Amino acid sequence: MSQNPKSIFIDGEAGTTGLGIRDRLAALPEIALKSIDPDKRKDPAARREMMASVDLVVLCLPDDAAKESVALADELGTDAPKIVDAATAHRIAPGWVYGFAELAPGHAEAIAKADRVANPGCYPTGAIALLRPLVDAGLIPQDHPVSVNAVSGYSGGGKAMIADYESGVAPAFELYGLGLRHKHLPELQAYARLTRRPIFVPSVGNFRQGMLVSVPLHLDTLPGKPAIADLHHALAERYAGSSYVSVLPPEAGGKIEPEALNDTNKLELRVFGQDDLGQAVLVARLDNLGKGASGAAVQNIRLMLGLPEG
């Protein structure tokens, strides 16, 4: 262990994301993990005392509980720790920095300077990575009617869904969120810089982890009718030099599977399409538990604590 490790408390470490973050941090000599007595994990005084003793707190809690934890930290004033919230609660909240380091030029530096960072959702990570550079480049208008389709492994669905799949009672595949009010929509719209609410259709398959996010486009509805190469170039230019985000050629055969990046913090982006048809499909592949959750959280923690990139 390093001479002066940074101390971290994971509030809610027993859940899927909390365990993933803990496993990643436990391997780092620069980090000292602190845990609260299980009998006191809901004791506000004990949690506040723990918060005052650490450099950074990671919140892996339901939204309401995350807000309560932030209120406890607020009571500490200048002794409050830095916070990474892995819940949905603060992703578009004033005063919080969105924790997708590759969002735009200079955004990693904004995270490094922040005291409070909201970790992105898994689906929005892929969708925003695909859309934001194209919106910034003027290739997709902000008011364009965008549809986002995605499939995730069941590990992102919480304990009940995991239990259903692992016991064999869940379906092989299902669409959900068809009420069109999925909790990830506000951040997806905000950070992709879309003024028109996108249609988002998530789904889950009978595999533990891995994710594909896709955005279909009719090129003749876009300004200047861009070619496939124009879309690829705009993405490649945005992520040039990135350690974790790669822009790659489409895979042969017009197929792509979701599990290739499992247990990594990598994100792959591709543009499939045919210029003669005027059609394209933007595709992001990531691990919903990696770059889509725990991996991104550790990336943000490193930035906020001034630790070297892992």
Side-chain angles (χ1 to χ4, degrees):
M1 183 172 288
S2 61
Q3 187 173 0
N4 295 299
K6 301 290 187 178
S7 55
I8 295 179
F9 166 50
I10 303 172
D11 198 356
E13 64 180 20
T16 302
T17 299
L19 289 170
I21 294 171
R22 184 175 184 83
D23 287 347
R24 285 168 167 81
L25 292 178
L28 303 181
E30 311 98 319
I31 297 296
L33 289 169
K34 291 192 173 185
S35 295
I36 200 165
D37 187 322
D39 294 335
K40 296 182 178 180
R41 64 186 180 87
K42 294 188 178 181
D43 180 343
R47 289 164 63 211
R48 186 168 55 245
E49 182 179 357
M50 175 62 78
M51 288 181 181
S53 72
V54 298
D55 296 299
L56 185 145
V57 172
V58 185
L59 305 180
C60 299
L61 302 165
D63 284 0
D64 288 344
K67 292 175 182 177
E68 291 172 3
S69 287
V70 171
L72 290 175
D74 286 341
E75 295 174 5
L76 296 171
T78 57
D79 292 329
K82 295 176 182 288
I83 298 176
V84 173
D85 183 11
T88 317
H90 298 100
R91 288 179 184 162
I92 58 171
W96 289 73
V97 175
Y98 192 60
F100 180 40
E102 297 84 3
L103 178 68
H107 196 72
E109 289 78 7
I111 293 171
K113 295 175 182 177
D115 290 325
R116 297 189 175 182
V117 170
N119 216 50
C122 50
Y123 291 124
T125 295
I128 293 165
L130 292 167
L131 290 165
R132 176 64 178 265
L134 304 182
V135 172
D136 286 348
L139 295 173
I140 296 179
Q142 289 184 273
D143 64 350
H144 191 70
V146 170
S147 294
V148 178
N149 304 295
V151 60
S152 174
Y154 60 76
S155 56
K159 291 182 179 179
M161 180 179 285
I162 293 171
D164 284 348
Y165 272 95
E166 294 189 344
S167 65
V169 301
F173 177 87
E174 62 182 339
L175 299 178
Y176 67 100
L178 293 174
L180 303 181
R181 298 182 183 275
H182 193 280
K183 66 179 182 178
H184 287 168
L185 266 165
E187 63 183 286
L188 194 167
Q189 181 176 354
Y191 297 109
R193 294 184 61 224
L194 298 173
T195 57
R196 182 193 296 254
R197 183 181 178 89
I199 293 176
F200 172 48
V201 183
S203 60
V204 60
N206 191 14
F207 54 97
R208 179 169 177 80
Q209 66 195 86
M211 174 171 284
L212 295 172
V213 180
S214 60
V215 179
L217 295 171
H218 288 278
L219 301 181
D220 63 355
T221 67
L222 300 176
K225 299 181 181 180
I228 304 298
D230 297 324
L231 303 178
H232 179 96
H233 175 75
L235 292 172
E237 187 174 48
R238 170 59 58 89
Y239 301 111
S242 172
S243 298
Y244 300 114
V245 183
S246 301
V247 181
L248 302 174
E251 293 196 347
K255 294 182 180 181
I256 188 167
E257 58 85 20
E259 299 177 277
L261 298 181
N262 285 1
D263 301 315
T264 77
N265 194 47
K266 295 180 180 179
L267 171 62
E268 292 178 350
L269 308 178
R270 291 175 171 83
V271 183
F272 292 81
Q274 298 292 340
D275 284 319
D276 63 325
L277 299 176
Q279 295 178 328
V281 181
L282 313 175
V283 180
R285 174 162 62 184
L286 65 156
D287 179 0
N288 60 294
L289 300 182
K291 186 61 170 167
S294 304
V298 172
Q299 183 181 353
N300 290 326
I301 289 166
R302 285 182 177 276
L303 286 167
M304 296 170 74
L305 296 180
L307 301 177
E309 191 174 77

